[in-house]
């Protein structure tokens, strides 16, 4: 198994599990609150016990207060007790489909710097990355959340 500089094993997640996660993200996208940007995003994270947690972007009349779908999904997972994530699916209508923004990459890295990231549109094929491809050198400061 490949090891990153942080010593994390690459997450092993089956395609069928990722397909289910992407379906969940696409469904969540329909509930995004994005009246200002008109750019709804849905996210679903898979925790190491198999549980799935959802997030959507939540915008505000004070524009900079918008929160991304990925970060609301992480918040939902952590509130339920999750500490280690295996994968995140992100659904949007972007072309190409949105990958997590820089801030979200850092937040996701806290809970697994090598998690699997899949991004897709409202339907059809999706693209698979690992988080360390998207954010090669996260700030982990000891990795308190996952014992690195
Ligand atoms: N957005 C996300 O939800 N996730 C990302 O990774 C990128 C951007 C949201 C924030 C804002 O509500 C809208 O997309 C347009 O930037």
């Amino acid at each position: 198994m490949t090891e990153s500089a942080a010593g994390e094993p690459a997450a092993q997640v089956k395609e069928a599990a990722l397909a289910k996660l992407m379906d969940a993200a696409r469904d969540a996208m329909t509930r995004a609150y994005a009246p200002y940007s008109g750019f709804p995003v849905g996210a679903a994270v898979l925790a190491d016990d198999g549980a799935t947690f959802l997030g959507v972007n939540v915008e505000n009349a004070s524009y900079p207060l918008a929160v991304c779908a990925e970060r609301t999904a992480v918040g939902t997972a952590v509130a339920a007790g999750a500490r280690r994530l295996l994968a995140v699916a992100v659904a949007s209508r972007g072309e190409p489909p949105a990958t997590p923004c820089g801030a979200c990459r850092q937040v996701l890295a806290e809970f697994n710097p090598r998690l699997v990231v899949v991004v897709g549109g409202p339907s059809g094929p999706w693209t698979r990355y690992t988080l360390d491809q998207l954010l090669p050198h996260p700030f982990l400061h000891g990795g308190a959340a996952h014992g690195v």
Side-chain angles (χ1 to χ4, degrees):
M1 195 179 287
T2 341
E3 298 276 330
S4 72
E8 279 285 300
Q12 304 293 311
V13 186
K14 294 199 171 86
E15 290 294 300
L18 293 175
K20 244 177 101 177
L21 201 64
M22 180 52 77
D23 282 348
R26 286 170 166 158
D27 183 53
M29 182 176 71
T30 67
R31 297 184 293 280
Y33 181 70
Y36 304 102
S37 70
F39 191 79
V41 183
V45 295
L46 178 67
D48 62 352
D49 66 352
T52 295
F53 300 97
L54 303 179
V56 297
N57 52 336
V58 181
E59 298 186 346
N60 192 271
S62 177
Y63 296 179
L65 299 184
V67 184
C68 294
E70 296 91 326
R71 274 177 284 158
T72 61
V74 168
T76 309
V78 172
R83 280 290 183 275
R84 184 172 171 76
L85 305 179
L86 300 181
V88 61
V90 182
S92 72
R93 297 200 175 89
E95 193 44 63
T99 53
C101 75
C104 289
R105 293 177 195 194
Q106 174 64 31
V107 168
L108 289 164
E110 180 77 15
F111 299 99
N112 184 351
R114 301 204 69 189
L115 92 166
V116 175
V117 179
V118 289
V119 304
S123 62
W126 28 269
T127 306
R128 177 179 182 152
Y129 302 95
T130 58
L131 185 57
D132 65 330
Q133 289 178 304
L134 301 176
L135 184 66
H137 299 285
F139 177 64
L140 293 176
H141 194 61
H146 46 80
V148 173

